[in-house]
């Protein structure tokens, strides 16, 4: 055999070997489950290419783990498609799944099915921009490996299960843009994990007051905006915390801000559209701020001068009871203007 033939034969052999090896990668149970999922979803465009002739580990939207998990399917990500279906019951048969993503599937309807409770290795659950209804399921708290839950942009209703605080590894809980009601669970002041998760609960219909217990934890980021929360929120702050972003805007929160110390780690502070009273503490001049908004409250008194408090325009401060000083009009001018106005009728 000449050199070329040898090379060709060798390449052919290598190709066959790779093909036969990779054919072996996909576990038969996973392949069967995936094919049933494809059928349940009515053969959507994104996964139409799934073919039993190919190794399922090479299929689009699918990822298999390495030899340590016997090359089982660890990730399923079906996004941007027009599936008209419910969550297929066979999803729970992908027993080694760590990542489940159904995203931007506006015609995926129905509830978040109990089949998901079978996925005991699940770490990453992202069901977003779909049209899922029903509750945030209580059974999620049994999936102890969950690190990331994102159920935003759905039509979920009912209250937030307090048992989610039992998840020891939860790093992010994102439930914004649903129709959730009831109050924030008291148990969210006692998350079991070492670090409390970032909480995104905005654009729901959450009501009642924020449980005092939440003040015990040092949340890195919270977004409770666009709800109907009322009462005190001062416990969410404190000089000793290391929070980075606090958005409590567009609620009905009512408390005195005058003595509230904000951690110097805070970058984003949005309190607009509430019923917050008092004056802005001088301590806030110590903050390094990227965004800041206290407009539409009931604040009064002089805006402390210095730090980053003057890098924002008047729109960050407008519509309060009697705030004055830069970037609003100077406190003296306001008094003069009032005097002038009061003097007008007698002239
Ligand atoms: C969703 O379903 C509705 C009616 O069933 C249909 O009119 C619409 O085109 C579908 N949307 C997508 C993105 O497939
Ligand atoms: C979700 O479903 C509702 C009715 O069930 C429908 O009115 C709405 O258009 C759907 N949303 C999307 C994004 O398809
Ligand atoms: C959750 O999902 C939405 C939409 O898919 C995305 O915009 C948002 O950034 C996600 N949130 C987090 C905290 O990852
Ligand atoms: C503050 O919030 C108000 C009300 O939503 C908005 O009109 C304004 O543009 C915001 N200002 C800044 C500086 O973000």
């Amino acid at each position: 055999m000449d050199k070329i033939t040898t090379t060709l034969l060798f390449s052919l052999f290598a190709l066959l070997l790779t093909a036969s090896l990779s054919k072996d990668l996909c576990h038969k149970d996973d392949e069967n489950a995936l094919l049933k999922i494809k059928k349940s979803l009515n053969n959507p465009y994104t996964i139409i290419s799934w073919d039993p002739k190919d190794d399922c580990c090479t299929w689009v939207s699918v990822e298999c783990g390495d030899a340590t998990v016997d090359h089982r399917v660890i990730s399923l990500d079906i996004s941007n498609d027009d599936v008209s279906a419910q969550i297929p019951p066979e999803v729970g048969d992908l027993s080694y799944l760590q990542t489940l993503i159904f995203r931007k599937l506006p015609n995926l309807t129905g509830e978040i099915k109990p089949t998901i409770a079978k996925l005991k290795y699940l770490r990453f659950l992202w069901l977003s921009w779909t049209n899922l209804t029903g509750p945030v399921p209580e059974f999620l708290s049994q999936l102890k490996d969950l690190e990331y839950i994102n159920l935003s942009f759905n039509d979920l209703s009912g209250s937030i299960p307090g048992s989610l605080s039992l998840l020891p590894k939860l790093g992010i809980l994102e439930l914004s843009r649903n129709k959730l009601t009831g109050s924030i669970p008291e148990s969210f002041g006692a998350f079991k994990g070492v670090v409390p998760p970032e909480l995104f609960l905005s654009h729901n219909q959450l009501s009642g007051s924020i449980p005092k217990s939440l003040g015990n934890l040092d949340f890195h980021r919270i977004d409770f905006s666009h709800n109907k929360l009322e009462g005190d929120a001062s416990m969410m702050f404190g000089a000793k915390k290391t929070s980075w972003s606090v958005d409590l805007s567009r609620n009905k929160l009512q408390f005195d801000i005058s003595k509230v110390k904000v951690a110097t780690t805070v970058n984003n502070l949005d309190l607009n559209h509430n019923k917050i009273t008092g004056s802005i503490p001088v301590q806030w001049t110590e903050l390094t701020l990227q965004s800041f908004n206290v407009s539409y409250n009931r604040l009064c008194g002089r805006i402390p001068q210095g730090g980053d408090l003057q890098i924002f325009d008047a729109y960050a401060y407008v519509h309060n009871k009697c705030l004055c000083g830069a970037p609003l009009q100077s406190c003296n001018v306001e008094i003069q203007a009032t005097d002038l106005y009061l003097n007008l009728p007698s002239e």
Side-chain angles (χ1 to χ4, degrees):
M1 279 192 287
D2 60 38
K3 205 173 169 192
I4 292 173
T5 320
T6 317
T7 314
L8 273 177
L9 274 175
F10 181 76
S11 307
L12 194 67
F13 178 70
L15 204 70
L16 283 172
L17 189 71
T18 322
S20 67
L21 272 183
S22 64
K23 180 61 192 160
D24 286 337
L25 286 185
C26 182
H27 196 282
K28 214 51 196 167
D29 293 350
D30 290 343
E31 186 183 306
N32 287 338
L34 288 168
L35 289 170
K36 283 184 192 153
I37 289 166
K38 186 187 178 196
K39 197 166 166 232
S40 291
L41 295 176
N42 305 310
N43 297 307
Y45 178 76
T46 6
I47 57 171
I48 197 101
S49 63
W50 287 3
D51 185 342
K53 286 206 288 286
D54 306 325
D55 173 12
C56 84
C57 292
T58 66
W59 293 355
V60 290
S61 307
V62 173
E63 197 191 314
C64 292
D66 60 19
T68 60
V69 290
D70 209 13
H71 304 288
R72 301 299 299 254
V73 170
I74 55 165
S75 169
L76 178 65
D77 172 1
I78 301 177
S79 300
N80 292 298
D81 207 324
D82 60 1
V83 295
S84 290
Q86 303 210 354
I87 295 178
E90 297 84 4
V91 166
D93 298 335
L94 295 169
S95 338
Y96 286 75
L97 214 56
Q98 294 174 17
T99 298
L100 178 63
I101 306 175
F102 288 137
R103 212 171 139 250
K104 299 200 171 161
L105 308 174
N107 283 352
L108 185 73
T109 56
E111 302 202 350
I112 300 176
K113 295 278 156 59
T115 185
I116 290 176
K118 293 199 274 174
L119 301 173
K120 59 177 188 288
Y121 300 117
L122 201 62
R123 292 164 56 192
F124 199 88
L125 179 65
W126 195 357
L127 311 173
S128 179
W129 283 110
T130 58
N131 217 338
L132 294 169
T133 51
V136 175
E138 190 86 43
F139 64 70
L140 292 180
S141 61
Q142 298 161 19
L143 302 174
K144 300 294 183 204
D145 281 347
L146 274 174
E147 293 165 21
Y148 179 93
I149 299 177
N150 191 341
L151 308 177
S152 61
F153 295 91
N154 283 302
D155 282 325
L156 302 176
S157 54
S159 54
I160 301 174
S163 58
L164 292 177
S165 68
L166 298 173
L167 291 170
K169 297 178 186 167
L170 194 61
I172 288 180
L173 178 62
E174 158 90 85
L175 303 173
S176 55
R177 309 242 177 197
N178 279 290
K179 293 174 181 153
L180 301 174
T181 52
S183 49
I184 296 173
E186 178 82 37
S187 62
F188 278 20
F191 272 94
K192 290 285 171 278
V194 182
V195 180
E198 302 187 350
L199 289 180
F200 304 92
L201 308 177
S202 75
H203 294 264
N204 278 293
Q205 292 152 27
L206 300 174
S207 57
S209 42
I210 301 174
K212 279 266 173 294
S213 59
L214 265 70
N216 300 335
L217 295 186
D218 188 6
F219 293 97
H220 196 54
R221 284 198 289 176
I222 54 166
D223 184 354
F224 295 169
S225 65
H226 291 259
N227 277 293
K228 297 173 183 168
L229 299 169
E230 53 190 43
D232 191 11
S234 60
M235 66 286 186
M236 301 310 292
F237 300 96
K240 288 192 179 131
K241 294 198 195 273
T242 58
S243 331
W244 182 71
S245 180
V246 181
D247 189 348
L248 301 173
S249 64
R250 300 205 181 234
N251 277 290
K252 299 184 210 163
L253 298 167
Q254 191 164 13
F255 61 100
D256 186 336
I257 204 87
S258 309
K259 294 203 175 88
V260 169
K261 288 204 164 71
V262 175
T264 51
T265 48
V266 168
N267 255 281
N268 301 302
L269 180 58
D270 199 342
L271 301 173
N272 86 71
H273 280 93
N274 278 291
K275 298 173 181 173
I276 301 169
T277 56
S279 55
I280 298 176
V282 175
Q283 186 263 339
W284 291 20
T285 60
E286 295 165 16
L287 307 177
T288 308
L289 294 164
Q290 240 164 46
S291 69
F292 175 78
N293 203 332
V294 293
S295 65
Y296 294 86
N297 276 293
R298 295 176 184 169
L299 300 172
C300 207
R302 183 186 294 271
I303 298 170
Q305 302 294 299
D308 281 352
L309 290 182
Q310 275 69 45
I311 65 174
F312 304 97
D313 62 20
Y315 289 106
Y317 295 95
V318 291
H319 278 271
N320 274 287
K321 202 166 138 212
C322 43
L323 274 182
C324 62
L328 299 179
Q329 62 195 132
S330 98
C331 297
N332 295 333
V333 166
E334 190 185 49
I335 289 160
Q336 280 163 15
T338 312
D339 287 348
L340 195 66
Y341 172 75
L342 288 175
N343 287 336
L344 277 178
S346 59
E347 276 171 13

